[in-house]
C-alpha cells in the first residue's frame, strides 16, 4: 500500500460533501443545549430568596 497524501485529501474532500445532515444536526444540538441552560437559569433564579 503506497502513501499518497494528495489522494487522501481528495478522498476526504469528496467524503465531506457526502456527510448528510451533519451541520444541521450540530446546529440543532447547540441550540438545544443553550435552550436548556437558559431555561434552567430562568427557573432557578426564581428560587433565589431576597431577604431585604
Amino acid at each position: 500500500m503506497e502513501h499518497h497524501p494528495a489522494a487522501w485529501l481528495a478522498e476526504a474532500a469528496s467524503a465531506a460533501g457526502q456527510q448528510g445532515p451533519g451541520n444541521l444536526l450540530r446546529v440543532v444540538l447547540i441550540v438545544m443545549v443553550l435552550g436548556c441552560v437558559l431555561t434552567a437559569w430562568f427557573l432557578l433564579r426564581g428560587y433565589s430568596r431576597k431577604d431585604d
Side-chain angles (χ1 to χ4, degrees):
M1 180 175 167
E2 296 181 20
H3 300 286
H4 297 289
W8 292 348
L9 291 175
E11 286 182 29
S14 66
Q18 302 169 359
Q19 289 292 321
N23 288 335
L24 177 63
L25 184 60
R26 187 176 297 124
V27 169
V28 168
L29 287 174
I30 290 171
V31 169
M32 184 178 66
V33 168
L34 289 176
C36 289
V37 168
L38 288 174
T39 302
W41 172 77
F42 180 74
L43 291 175
L44 290 174
R45 77 181 186 116
Y47 289 112
S48 63
R49 299 182 63 180
K50 296 181 180 176
D51 295 331
D52 289 349

